[in-house]
Amino acid sequence: MLWLKALHLIFMVTWFAGLFYLPRLYVYHAMSSDEISNERFKVMERKLFFGIMTPGMIVTFIFGIWMLIDYAWVMYSQSGWLHVKLTMLALMVVYHVYCGKWLLDFKHDRNTHSHVYYRWMNEVPVLFLIGIIILAVVKPF
């Protein structure tokens, strides 16, 4: 069971690394004005989203579901913290999908947001990380 938890955490860190870095790339991309930079950011964003973030999310979910099936599912009906954590995970997936939408907007040169917007969006994963870690470790309710 500890191996499952360790692997779950390793891939969660991988997923979060992408969630933290991709919006930062969008900040710089939104500020770029030359074609060389524009094309370079498109490549970096695509590789991060499809090569690191999305696989990290998928494997995080595989090990998370495995842990739920193995031992946490029995506690599920009595664990309010787990309900909130799973809700936060669902919201993180929505954020992940929005990152993919922004990726497509940049890819097709139709971004309408400023670098300031992406600076704010870059802070969203911090809130998820704080909430999820506190829920999973402290189990406050």
Side-chain angles (χ1 to χ4, degrees):
M1 187 53 58
L2 291 178
W3 280 104
L4 284 179
K5 191 178 288 189
L7 291 169
H8 177 69
L9 290 172
I10 289 166
F11 286 99
M12 184 265 316
V13 169
T14 302
W15 183 20
F16 265 101
L19 289 173
F20 285 136
Y21 191 50
L22 188 60
R24 179 55 53 182
L25 286 176
Y26 293 155
V27 168
Y28 301 137
H29 196 162
M31 293 170 50
S32 71
S33 57
D34 62 290
E35 191 58 31
I36 293 172
S37 296
N38 190 31
E39 292 305 313
R40 182 178 301 128
F41 281 119
K42 288 178 185 180
V43 170
M44 293 169 65
E45 292 158 358
R46 185 188 79 245
K47 287 182 177 183
L48 181 59
F49 187 82
F50 291 108
I52 296 173
M53 274 177 64
T54 302
M57 178 186 69
I58 291 167
V59 178
T60 298
F61 270 86
I62 289 169
F63 288 117
I65 291 167
W66 191 346
M67 286 189 301
L68 276 175
I69 291 169
D70 265 6
Y71 74 97
W73 195 256
V74 176
M75 303 181 329
Y76 181 69
S77 62
Q78 304 154 355
S79 303
W81 68 270
L82 190 56
H83 291 267
V84 177
K85 179 186 174 199
L86 294 175
T87 300
M88 290 184 80
L89 287 173
L91 292 172
M92 265 181 46
V93 170
V94 170
Y95 180 80
H96 184 103
V97 169
Y98 266 94
C99 283
K101 181 214 175 291
W102 298 325
L103 177 85
L104 291 175
D105 288 346
F106 277 112
K107 177 183 177 182
H108 297 294
D109 298 318
R110 59 179 189 230
N111 173 52
T112 58
H113 300 294
S114 73
H115 66 95
V116 175
Y117 173 82
Y118 294 112
R119 286 181 196 278
W120 282 105
M121 291 297 103
N122 193 47
E123 304 306 320
V124 171
V126 173
L127 302 175
F128 287 127
L129 181 66
I130 291 169
I132 289 169
I133 294 296
I134 289 172
L135 288 167
V137 172
V138 178
K139 298 175 178 55
F141 47 90

